[in-house]
Amino acid sequence: MAIPRILKITLMGSAMSSAMAMMQGHRQTGAYGPGINCTAHWLYGDRAAQMDAAGGQATLVGLATNTAATMFWAWLYDRALGRQPGLMRRLAVTAALGPVAYLVDYKATPKRFTPGWELVMAPRRMALVYLSMVIGMAMGARGANTDTARP
């Protein structure tokens, strides 16, 4: 069953992107909170990006939102990889993941439901968050169980 692989992909992608969002938010604003709190803007509005403290309700909602979004991308990534992906397939799918996620998140999604990182950080910092998500997801997929039996 592929669920364990999806969970590993999700957890690694979410942990890496959340950590990078907090670091890049800190570099941009001087506080760790805004980089993850801004992801809660769907609930709290744009003021979530101005909440400097990490660890409050906005942080919990931001982390949960980022994890849920990462789970969506993990599911698509897992499906695109297939059961026994070769090296070229892994490389192609992994390379496409970040740009596709960005385009869907920021071009096809209503503003209220975007990640909200544009409220806190410059585009190049946002790119690092997406890159971190992709690296984390690739690490989660590496060596993870598939539903094929091994001899």
Side-chain angles (χ1 to χ4, degrees):
M1 185 171 201
I3 291 175
R5 183 168 84 164
I6 291 171
L7 290 177
K8 287 178 185 179
I9 293 169
T10 300
L11 292 175
M12 291 296 292
S14 178
M16 296 275 292
S17 62
S18 294
M20 183 60 76
M22 291 179 80
M23 289 184 341
Q24 294 306 315
H26 181 262
R27 287 180 173 224
Q28 191 85 34
T29 69
Y32 288 102
I36 199 65
N37 293 345
C38 65
T39 308
H41 78 109
W42 65 270
L43 182 61
Y44 297 110
D46 289 355
R47 73 175 199 262
Q50 298 161 356
M51 297 177 186
D52 288 342
Q57 274 187 304
T59 303
L60 293 175
V61 171
L63 287 169
T65 301
N66 189 51
T67 301
T70 304
M71 184 174 278
F72 167 75
W73 290 113
W75 180 81
L76 288 175
Y77 183 59
D78 182 67
R79 303 304 294 165
L81 283 176
R83 290 185 183 179
Q84 297 292 324
L87 177 62
M88 292 309 293
R89 184 178 189 107
R90 278 188 185 276
L91 290 173
V93 170
T94 302
L97 180 60
V100 169
Y102 170 81
L103 288 172
V104 170
D105 285 352
Y106 281 100
K107 302 299 180 191
T109 303
K111 176 139 175 55
R112 184 74 177 212
F113 301 107
T114 66
W117 296 319
E118 77 283 0
L119 300 170
V120 174
M121 57 189 86
R124 71 180 187 282
R125 295 186 190 282
M126 291 169 48
L128 291 173
V129 177
Y130 277 100
L131 178 61
S132 295
M133 179 191 77
V134 170
I135 291 169
M137 290 173 74
M139 289 170 51
R142 190 170 163 232
N145 296 337
T146 62
D147 57 349
T148 58
R150 294 208 168 137

